[in-house]
Amino acid sequence: MLKIGPYEFSSRLLLGTGKYPSLDVQKEAVEASGAEILTFAVRRMNIFSPEQPNFLEQLDLSKYKLLPNTAGAKTAEEAVRIARLAKASGLCDMIKVEVIGCDKTLLPDPVETLKAAEMLLEEGFIVLPYTSDDVVLAKRLEELGCHAIMPGASPIGSGQGIINPLNLSFIIEQANVPVIVDAGIGGPADAALAMELGADGVLLNTAVSGAADPVKMAKAMKLAVEAGRLGYEAGRIPKKRYASASSPTEGMSVV
């Protein structure tokens, strides 16, 4: 089970809900993914236009735990205001802290992320900060009391996959809270690799919503996360420089 704060989940795939071609496709993809945690940007919700379509109305929310995120925030204060709005709506007490520091790369601002996480923890939120693959920053966020760490595999929506597996492995090895690889996943192989490295979960959006067939890709990601986790738990064989016979040689006659 994936444990985040007081919650437990069977699925280790967290799914974003943005940029789908339609609400019907979004609903089908969510169901195919098997995800139990859905994330969305609070600032992009149509909260002031009741006549506009709302993805929350398309889903049986009793099946999911919602993870609002603070996308669009540039400062800790902005992130905290967005988080308070989400909590006041009664959606959930979990929050994905996202404070962007660079508009071109969409990489997070480490200073403002730390500050926002500390403020939200003091207010009783279950905090999951989106961060870079900075090993020291991940440790600082855990020491603050964050309930999970969410390092990016590569820039948001880039589809580049895991560009620094070494740093991710360092973060995972030292963490005592769940590590959920977030951002940059492009295909099932990327998700499987993240899980094989020992990650506790994978959060993705564009890899599914931007696929030619989002529903089929959602199912592929579900299977990839499951396979990667099983592979990690099973323990892969070490890599060797030379060949090693897979059949026993005992009892073979010498010709």
Side-chain angles (χ1 to χ4, degrees), residues 11-255:
S11 173
R12 293 178 180 271
L13 174 61
L14 292 71
L15 193 63
T17 56
K19 301 189 292 186
Y20 285 84
S22 72
L23 291 180
D24 289 336
V25 171
Q26 180 194 64
K27 180 181 179 182
E28 286 187 63
V30 167
E31 292 173 349
S33 73
E36 296 172 86
I37 302 175
L38 303 180
T39 186
F40 62 94
V42 176
R43 290 184 66 167
R44 297 192 180 100
M45 293 287 288
N46 295 313
I47 57 176
F48 300 113
S49 303
E51 71 280 1
Q52 294 296 316
N54 185 338
F55 85 91
L56 294 176
E57 297 173 353
Q58 305 290 315
L59 302 172
D60 179 358
L61 297 184
S62 65
K63 296 180 180 179
Y64 307 102
K65 182 66 69 175
L66 298 178
L67 177 61
N69 65 61
T70 65
K74 297 291 186 67
T75 67
E77 288 75 17
E78 278 187 276
V80 170
R81 283 199 298 272
I82 295 169
R84 288 170 178 164
L85 178 62
K87 190 172 185 178
S89 70
L91 293 176
C92 189
D93 55 355
M94 291 202 303
I95 190 74
K96 176 187 170 186
V97 175
E98 187 172 319
V99 185
I100 298 302
C102 174
D103 290 333
K104 184 173 183 178
T105 63
L106 298 182
L107 290 173
D109 183 317
V111 176
E112 294 298 307
T113 298
L114 272 169
K115 185 177 176 182
E118 184 172 20
M119 294 168 69
L120 290 169
L121 286 166
E122 290 176 354
E123 294 188 19
F125 282 86
I126 297 170
V127 178
L128 294 77
Y130 164 61
T131 178
S132 64
D133 57 11
D134 185 312
V135 179
V136 177
L137 178 59
K139 287 178 66 66
R140 295 291 180 267
L141 288 165
E142 180 180 341
E143 289 167 357
L144 275 181
C146 291
H147 300 83
I149 306 299
M150 305 182 76
S154 54
I156 293 173
S158 69
Q160 293 186 51
I162 298 174
I163 58 176
N164 196 342
L166 183 62
N167 269 26
L168 278 183
S169 66
F170 287 157
I171 292 172
I172 291 166
E173 287 170 11
Q174 298 181 58
N176 296 301
V177 295
V179 176
I180 300 168
V181 175
D182 178 12
I185 296 296
D190 303 327
L193 175 58
M195 298 305 294
E196 286 186 63
L197 288 173
D200 296 279
V202 170
L203 189 153
L204 52 87
N205 188 161
T206 308
V208 169
S209 65
D213 188 332
V215 178
K216 190 171 288 186
M217 184 60 77
K219 185 175 181 180
M221 290 298 187
K222 172 181 183 289
L223 297 174
V225 168
E226 291 175 355
R229 181 66 184 185
L230 285 173
Y232 169 74
E233 292 176 346
R236 65 157 290 154
I237 63 171
K239 294 182 179 181
K240 299 177 181 178
R241 183 175 176 83
Y242 299 105
S244 177
S246 57
S247 300
T249 56
E250 290 82 0
M252 293 181 64
S253 58
V254 179
V255 178

